[in-house]
Amino acid sequence: MSYICSEETEELIQAVREFCDNEVREQSKEYDRTGEWPKEIYDKAMEMQLHMMEIPEEYGGLGLDKVSVAVILEEMAKADAGFALTFSVSSIGLKSVLMAGTEAQKKKYCDTIISGQFSAFALTEPQAGSDAAAVKTTARKEGDTYVLNGRKTFITNGGVAGIYVIMAMTDKTKGLKGMSAFIVEAGTPGLSTGKHEDKMGIRGSNTCDVVFDDCRIPAENLLGKEGDGFKIAMQTLDISRTFIGGMAVGIAQRAMEEAIAYAKGRVQFGEPIIKNPVIGFKLADMEIQIETARQMVAHACTRMDLGLPYGKESAIAKCCGGDAAMKVTSEAIQIFGGYGYSREYPVEKLMRDAKIYQIFEGTNEIQRVVIANHLIKEY
Ligand code: CAA
């Protein structure tokens, strides 16, 4: 691991590592098998304040810098990527509030998360995936309320959140300038969860549809102004994609460590296979990909911490991380040979967990669109 952190952060990382080793790593295998949401693990993690990492100190959180958050998420993802994702995505909804909310909204919803609730960020719809502007969910103003109708899909924490940040059209005639962002509290009549996804990986995280059926919310739950929704969504994703890259690095790092341990113990042709240069080269390539991705994550985080633009760097970090995770986990399975393909060994889970990191929060193809758009403006 080669992030450069303060002594205080190192201590926190060590505590998180111990927690993950004792409470997550082994336990997550069963949740991977059943697809059950491991509430007891999340409850214990909250005792360690892992849900408060990104909440500024002025609102009662830990107020960690972005580099520290990335290191801790990497550590969490090494134990279980679904576990890390649950907390990371919970911060996404809150990021929109912290970015565009009023003082009252920031205070209220930071308190909600600190009290032990999760948040969900709901942009995606059945027909609005990569084309985020194609959102069909509507928000109709009626007096001092908005009435929401529509369906969001693939929503992380969708079935377990205490608050939802949702994007809906307040004026369809204006295209993406008619999209607005709202906060919806769990338990609001007309809000329900739909289909739960039976996923290939990250099975310890909750993913489901969120349905709005004449769901009436106070007008004060609008984030920013009417029409700000698309920008709020894009700016939120600009931040969160970096951390997706960081978690993907965690998956890749774990896969490499598992492969090294296996290659040291596996004897073929009279000696441990790690002595075979073919294996050494594979491991070296893994390390190159992991370290490159990690440094891109750190670079994007440092830019955020310094208040510099980071949209392009965040997209690069997400691409590098997701691609590294997929390549490294695949090569780890190759080193394990037939055993790698068996559920008895950890690496097949890592590959299943890794795949989504090339897909969600904007596919790696969309990240390239984002990067290209930045290049066009830069040069
Ligand atoms: N920051 C601020 N403004 C931005 C922006 C950004 N990062 N990106 C775009 N904008 C602005 C543009 O400046 C432009 O504004 P003007 O018209 O005033 O110039 C406006 O938004 C439109 O921009 P584009 O023309 O680039 O928009 P587009 O329709 O071509 O879409 C896209 C661009 C990058 C492809 C975008 O649609 C996108 O990111 N798609 C992927 C969506 C995604 O990541 N979805 C996953 C969500 S995660 C989820 O919902 C589930 C979960 O569990 C978390």
Side-chain angles (χ1 to χ4, degrees):
M1 202 248 291
S2 51
Y3 285 105
I4 297 161
C5 299
S6 68
E7 211 171 293
E8 205 183 357
T9 305
E10 287 291 354
E11 278 169 26
L12 185 57
I13 295 165
Q14 186 54 35
V16 171
R17 187 174 300 138
E18 275 166 30
F19 173 80
C20 289
D21 285 349
N22 296 331
E23 305 285 352
V24 184
R25 198 179 257 247
E26 285 305 307
Q27 293 80 344
S28 66
K29 285 183 191 164
E30 182 60 9
Y31 296 109
D32 176 60
R33 198 182 63 73
T34 61
E36 202 184 313
W37 193 71
K39 182 176 179 328
E40 57 277 21
I41 295 185
Y42 293 120
D43 286 346
K44 284 184 193 162
M46 284 189 186
E47 286 170 23
M48 289 201 65
Q49 302 186 317
L50 293 181
H51 60 311
M52 293 162 54
M53 291 191 287
E54 292 189 69
I55 299 179
E57 281 177 306
E58 60 189 297
Y59 299 113
L62 301 185
L64 296 186
D65 60 84
K66 303 291 185 214
V67 176
S68 301
V69 173
V71 184
I72 290 170
L73 285 173
E74 178 184 328
E75 215 41 68
M76 291 163 74
K78 266 173 73 181
D80 182 58
F83 165 71
L85 184 79
T86 299
F87 285 102
S88 177
V89 169
S90 185
S91 293
I92 303 183
L94 201 60
K95 279 184 183 87
S96 300
V97 178
L98 287 168
M99 191 184 300
T102 61
E103 246 341 271
Q105 287 171 333
K106 290 180 196 178
K107 193 175 171 337
K108 180 174 180 191
Y109 294 109
C110 283
D111 282 351
T112 305
I113 301 301
I114 289 169
S115 76
Q117 311 263 9
F118 288 100
S119 87
F121 175 78
L123 169 65
T124 304
E125 298 186 1
Q127 307 304 324
S130 291
D131 185 5
V135 160
K136 297 234 172 345
T137 296
T138 54
R140 191 179 67 248
K141 185 105 194 270
E142 278 186 11
D144 56 0
T145 64
Y146 283 96
V147 180
L148 307 177
N149 280 289
R151 173 181 291 267
K152 299 290 177 179
T153 198
F154 295 127
I155 303 306
T156 306
N157 295 338
V160 295
I163 62 160
Y164 299 80
V165 169
I166 83 134
M167 303 302 149
M169 302 306 292
T170 37
D171 187 347
K172 282 184 182 171
T173 62
K174 290 186 179 161
L176 53 80
K177 297 231 166 12
M179 191 188 295
S180 304
F182 298 91
I183 305 163
V184 185
E185 296 181 14
T188 306
L191 163 68
S192 61
T193 52
K195 183 180 65 143
H196 280 250
E197 295 297 337
D198 187 8
K199 306 187 295 291
M200 168 179 166
I202 54 164
R203 289 173 58 79
S205 66
N206 171 277
T207 314
C208 64
D209 282 11
V210 177
V211 183
F212 301 92
D213 185 8
D214 281 337
C215 175
R216 190 178 294 273
I217 58 168
E220 67 193 30
N221 285 19
L222 174 70
L223 266 180
K225 301 189 301 300
E226 275 193 19
D228 284 352
F230 191 76
K231 277 204 169 136
I232 292 173
M234 292 301 114
Q235 286 170 341
T236 301
L237 290 166
D238 274 348
I239 307 176
S240 65
R241 285 167 178 161
T242 305
F243 299 113
I244 293 294
M247 288 181 279
V249 168
I251 300 173
Q253 176 71 28
R254 165 86 180 274
M256 184 181 71
E257 290 176 13
E258 296 285 357
I260 292 170
Y262 180 81
K264 282 184 173 172
R266 173 74 172 163
V267 174
Q268 290 289 278
F269 305 107
E271 61 179 9
I273 61 171
I274 199 153
K275 291 202 174 161
N276 186 323
V278 172
I279 301 296
F281 270 49
K282 280 191 191 298
L283 293 171
D285 280 339
M286 288 179 178
E287 176 67 354
I288 291 168
Q289 285 158 32
I290 293 169
E291 199 53 36
T292 307
R294 182 180 285 128
Q295 294 311 323
M296 279 318 305
V297 172
H299 179 59
C301 286
T302 303
R303 290 184 70 87
M304 286 186 215
D305 285 331
L306 293 175
L308 298 169
Y310 49 79
K312 183 181 75 177
E313 291 74 13
S314 185
I316 295 173
K318 197 264 177 189
C319 275
C320 287
D323 289 348
M326 208 49 219
K327 284 186 191 142
V328 170
T329 53
S330 173
E331 281 297 75
I333 291 177
Q334 195 68 20
I335 290 174
F336 272 74
Y339 295 110
Y341 203 62
S342 162
R343 294 209 168 186
E344 256 185 84
Y345 291 83
V347 280
E348 63 82 31
K349 171 182 181 292
L350 294 171
M351 189 169 100
R352 286 188 286 109
D353 286 347
K355 183 59 200 168
I356 193 65
Y357 284 77
Q358 292 180 311
I359 299 172
F360 62 10
E361 297 220 15
T363 61
N364 280 9
E365 290 74 16
I366 285 295
Q367 304 312 315
R368 286 172 169 87
V369 172
V370 172
I371 295 163
N373 286 345
H374 277 280
L375 292 176
I376 292 163
K377 282 185 199 146
E378 271 176 43
Y379 298 99

